[in-house]
Amino acid sequence: MHPLLAGRWSARGYDPAAEIAPTALEAILEAGRWAPTGGGVQPVRFIVGLRGDVTFTGIVDGLKRGNQSWVPAAAAVIVLCTTDQPDEPKMHDYGAIDVGLAAGQMIIQAQAEGLNAHPLGGFRSDALTDRFTIPAGMRPLLILAIGRIADALTVDPDIAERDRRPRTRLPLAEITYADSWGAPFSSGGTFGLPEVAE
């Protein structure tokens, strides 16, 4: 796996004094803009706040309580919006898929810029819709907090403890199937074999 992917994780302990360079922020937004899009529709829109500006404050005010404890230290927050068309399931689903693709590319671009991006869904959609006059037919679906990771000794102990937790995922052998659901897939390599604890 590429080191940018292997090194990605969702930190919370950001340096509240670190700023994001305009060129880095533009590169992250461009990574989202150039993500794959279903049928070329390009439904994703970005609301961008930099720490200290009114947009940043408006986004933080719309967060659920748990996220309000650490997101204010981020250098930037970006709301990813997309189509809200429940009566057209195909377009509704494509809009959500496009947000996921854009966010994934933005997260890796942030990593390449020496930053960390944390995707979160803990926000009040109605609050953001009202604050930013998001029009009918559009919805805020995901927020990216972007910052520089702080020295663990300088952040709240609870946040530092959460950031120290091991990053784990289910083994590929448990989540990849062939022929029918639950029937293990094997590439002929080693990933289909059970993982052995050291």
Side-chain angles (χ1 to χ4, degrees):
M1 189 163 59
H2 194 283
L4 286 175
L5 296 169
R8 186 221 63 81
W9 62 292
S10 299
R12 290 177 178 82
Y14 288 144
D15 179 350
E19 297 182 353
I20 185 168
T23 53
L25 180 58
E26 184 173 337
I28 291 165
L29 292 167
E30 286 284 12
R33 182 169 78 97
W34 283 101
T37 177
V41 173
Q42 304 178 57
V44 181
R45 300 292 183 270
F46 307 108
I47 300 171
V48 184
L50 296 173
R51 189 192 320 108
D53 71 19
V54 294
T55 303
F56 187 98
T57 301
I59 295 170
V60 169
D61 286 348
L63 297 176
K64 292 188 176 175
R65 187 182 307 176
N67 290 325
Q68 287 187 344
S69 66
W70 62 271
V71 172
V77 283
I78 303 171
V79 182
L80 281 73
C81 302
T82 191
T83 47
D84 186 20
Q85 298 174 285
D87 295 336
E88 295 186 47
K90 182 177 178 181
M91 295 309 298
H92 198 70
D93 290 348
Y94 276 16
I97 291 166
D98 279 9
V99 163
L101 291 165
Q105 292 199 174
M106 294 168 79
I107 288 166
I108 297 306
Q109 184 64 42
Q111 191 82 358
E113 300 289 339
L115 300 165
N116 180 274
H118 185 134
L120 55 116
F123 60 87
R124 292 175 291 115
S125 181
D126 57 343
L128 293 183
T129 298
D130 290 345
R131 168 61 182 78
F132 297 107
T133 58
I134 297 171
M138 296 294 290
R139 56 183 164 147
L141 192 58
L142 182 72
I143 292 177
L144 286 181
I146 302 171
R148 193 168 304 282
I149 298 173
D151 183 322
L153 297 176
T154 66
V155 300
D156 180 280
D158 290 339
I159 292 173
E161 188 278 326
R162 292 184 76 178
D163 279 358
R164 280 195 302 270
R165 292 176 189 170
R167 186 172 158 245
T168 62
R169 293 292 186 274
L170 294 171
L172 279 174
E174 289 184 20
I175 62 170
T176 54
Y177 311 134
D179 187 42
S180 65
W181 189 268
F185 166 78
S186 174
S187 66
T190 59
F191 87 79
L193 301 176
E195 293 189 1
V196 178
E198 292 294 332

